[in-house]
Amino acid sequence: MMIFHIMFKAIKLTLRDKGYFLYMLIFPLALILVLGSVLQDSFSSDVKLDKMTVEYVVEQHSPIGEGFSQFAKTASGKQIVFKEAKSAKTGKSAVENGDAVGFVAVGNDLTVTTNSPSQIEMSVLNGYLTQFTAQYRLASTIIKVDPTQAKILQNPPKVSDSAVTIEKQASGNEITAFEYYAIAMIAMVMMFGINSGISVFREEKVRHTDVRLFIAPIRKSTAIIGNFLGAIFMQVVALILLMIVSQLFFGVHWGQNALLIFVIYFSLLFLSVAIGMAVDVFSNGNPAATGAASILVQVFAFLGGAYFPTGDGLMSKLSPIGWVRVGVRDVMYNDIISAAFWPIALNIAITLVLVVAMSYWIRRKEVY
């Protein structure tokens, strides 16, 4: 019961701090709104494909040249236009000036010249040229086997204008700016638990209640656990509110795995509070520890992609915010349930190590 008394005491102290609600609720929501609005175009994956022009020249009279000329006429449509150039020099100049996506020189084989087209344009061009080579090989094979069947290739089917379609699927790499920053900012807010952890015993010292606490007939571990749970409780309230508000106002759909996502964030909360308490304990209550902890949070936020995307590389793996953000994203959008294992396991493992180390340190000092 004494643990819960200490826990409720810590909760009351937190509720008296008006800055807590500003820092834990209003600040992250404002950042989601501002960063999501300003950077939403950077996260847009909508692709608009303009009409493409491809110039070509048949350099010598040959079956492949005749075949390509026929193909160019039938393939031209709303999506792509094959235009015969006056010469190879003219065709290459059109590419250099940006008037054409590519230039095809048709001799004994096809030589394609491009000028840094976009990935989607290059994919479309490759698709059409691959289709031509497939048709030509088919025609050559048919003529070799039965020359009388060559007439069926004189009128090949026209290439559909909708031959290349673009379909957007929900995935971890194609989320909106609001969704990205909601996931990242909630992780950063959970990391703010470092400050709560530092304040667990700091408040006791400021109010001069730490002496009464440790001379009371209770174990020091009871005082640690009670204050720890008190700090955790208020962070959990903030977590729940942030998840609800982000879904209602920013369109973040947590989906059927919302509870698992909550557990991932909750494990990060445990870790951050434990780090804060450890910083305060091991620094012997040095006031400079608060500033150092704030810098540490910002470093984790920078590495973890809280302010700008950092991908899934080494930077994210060096930050608790990063590995939690990636885990939440994979569970939320890719339905990879196993992605929740590593962030949860890593957060809890580090937390246990810190709690054991703090207990040993305080017991060794006899008086904290």
Side-chain angles (χ1 to χ4, degrees), residues 22 61 151 192 255 307 312 364:
L22 176 66
H61 182 74
K151 60 182 180 180
F192 285 159
Y307 298 120
D312 303 349
R364 182 181 178 184

Side-chain angles (χ1 to χ4, degrees), residues 81-138:
V81 173
F82 286 89
K83 179 182 177 182
E84 186 172 6
K86 295 180 180 179
S87 64
K89 183 178 180 180
T90 303
K92 292 180 179 180
S93 296
V95 174
E96 292 177 358
N97 297 331
D99 297 326
V101 172
F103 167 71
V104 182
V106 184
N108 293 325
D109 51 17
L110 302 182
T111 303
V112 182
T113 302
T114 62
N115 188 15
S116 301
S118 66
Q119 185 176 1
I120 185 65
E121 289 176 333
M122 196 65 194
S123 298
V124 172
L125 179 59
N126 286 338
Y128 274 87
L129 296 180
T130 300
Q131 184 182 30
F132 165 72
T133 55
Q135 287 184 358
Y136 183 76
R137 289 172 182 170
L138 176 62

Side-chain angles (χ1 to χ4, degrees), residues 20 23 36 45 47 49-50 55 61 65 95 113 143 159 188 193 197 200 209 217 245 278 280 285-286 293 297 301 312:
Y20 173 85
Y23 202 56
S45 59
V47 179
L49 182 62
D50 296 328
E55 298 206 4
H61 182 74
V95 174
T113 302
I143 292 174
V159 179
M188 187 175 72
V200 165
T209 58
V245 173
D280 188 52
N286 192 325
V297 171
D312 303 349

Side-chain angles (χ1 to χ4, degrees), residues 50 58 78-79 86 102 128 143 166 207-208 210 239 256 283 286 289 291 313 318-320 332 352 355:
D50 296 328
V58 179
K78 294 180 180 180
Q79 189 175 76
K86 295 180 180 179
Y128 274 87
I143 292 174
I166 301 170
R207 298 173 185 274
H208 303 290
D210 56 322
L239 171 58
Q256 60 182 359
S283 67
N286 192 325
L318 293 175
S319 168
M332 184 173 171
L352 291 177
V355 170

Side-chain angles (χ1 to χ4, degrees), residues 184-198:
M185 286 301 162
I186 293 177
M188 187 175 72
V189 168
M190 294 302 101
M191 205 69 220
F192 285 159
I194 288 180
N195 295 324
S196 298
I198 290 177

Side-chain angles (χ1 to χ4, degrees), residues 14-15 17-27 234:
T14 303
L15 290 175
D17 184 7
K18 297 180 181 179
Y20 173 85
F21 298 97
L22 176 66
Y23 202 56
M24 300 298 293
L25 295 176
I26 300 178
F27 173 68
M234 293 306 301

